[in-house]
Amino acid sequence: MKSLSDMSLVARVVAFDDKRAFDALVRKYQSPVRRFFMGHTFGDAQLSDDLAQETFIKAYTGIGRFRSLSGFSTWLFSIAYRVLLDDVRARKHLEDIDDHAALLCDGTADGSLKMDINRCMQLLRPAERTCVILQLVEGLAVERIAEITGMPAGTVKSHLSRGKSRLATYLKENGYGE
């Protein structure tokens, strides 16, 4: 069972400072964590890698505080979400993210679905983007997203509804769908 495997690895890290066990957790979760950040950085691989690395460093240094009240992946995505929020706050004084996203969306479309989806993701508010990425890309249920973000489930559902509606509208307006 997946969670038992994770719990076994976590126990080895906590009890014996087993770096190989933590490395196994990193290998297992590095792609999902990186995808989460790629969705928020609009494809900036270097920034996504930096944020993912910071997430795993924080997970390693704080793994003794993991209480297994939820799955390891939920705990890890909670750390990733806080790393993302910290990064957004740190960058906030450098540029207004919403203005920057609007400028990027004014560029000419290259016709590829991937570029259009990235442009559309830029139109979403950060909370909507987080919920949409966690549900549509990572396949997480509303309850898990609520645990990760600390938002009530009803708020997650609202963000998902608005985010998906904005995605659908943008894609329809740009020639996808009917």
Side-chain angles (χ1 to χ4, degrees):
M1 180 179 231
K2 182 173 84 170
S3 63
L4 290 178
S5 175
D6 288 352
M7 294 306 143
S8 171
L9 293 168
V10 168
R12 287 175 40 199
V13 174
V14 172
F16 306 111
D17 193 27
D18 185 341
K19 290 173 179 49
R20 286 186 181 177
F22 189 76
D23 186 52
L25 290 166
V26 170
R27 282 193 312 275
K28 182 174 183 179
Y29 291 107
Q30 67 187 356
S31 291
V33 168
R34 188 171 185 271
R35 273 193 311 267
F36 171 75
F37 288 124
M38 288 288 282
H40 281 283
T41 63
F42 315 114
D44 185 334
Q46 185 174 2
L47 179 56
S48 296
D49 289 344
D50 289 347
L51 295 172
Q53 181 177 13
E54 185 174 343
T55 298
F56 285 108
I57 289 169
K58 287 183 183 237
Y60 182 75
T61 59
I63 202 161
R65 294 187 300 272
F66 175 63
R67 298 290 172 238
S68 67
L69 299 174
S70 61
F72 178 77
S73 65
T74 301
W75 182 74
L76 185 64
F77 272 106
S78 297
I79 294 170
Y81 181 65
R82 287 191 305 277
V83 166
L84 175 69
L85 293 178
D86 290 345
D87 182 68
V88 168
R89 279 190 286 269
R91 293 173 189 278
K92 191 78 169 161
H93 73 279
L94 299 175
E95 62 180 297
D96 182 358
I97 294 171
D98 292 333
D99 288 345
H100 181 65
L103 288 173
L104 290 172
C105 290
D106 288 340
T108 57
D110 70 354
S112 75
L113 178 61
K114 185 175 180 180
M115 290 298 294
D116 284 342
I117 290 174
N118 277 337
R119 284 192 181 111
C120 186
M121 293 299 280
Q122 294 167 357
L123 297 174
L124 301 181
R125 293 187 173 123
E128 293 168 348
R129 189 168 39 250
T130 295
C131 293
V132 166
I133 289 168
L134 288 172
Q135 186 182 60
L136 297 182
V137 178
E138 297 305 322
L140 301 181
V142 169
E143 295 75 24
R144 291 234 5 242
I145 297 168
E147 283 182 65
I148 289 167
T149 62
M151 296 177 201
T155 302
V156 170
K157 289 177 185 176
S158 294
H159 287 313
L160 284 168
S161 177
R162 282 193 304 271
K164 288 176 183 178
S165 176
R166 288 182 188 183
L167 283 170
T169 299
Y170 178 86
L171 292 173
K172 282 180 186 174
E173 289 173 355
N174 286 280
Y176 297 95
E178 302 177 324

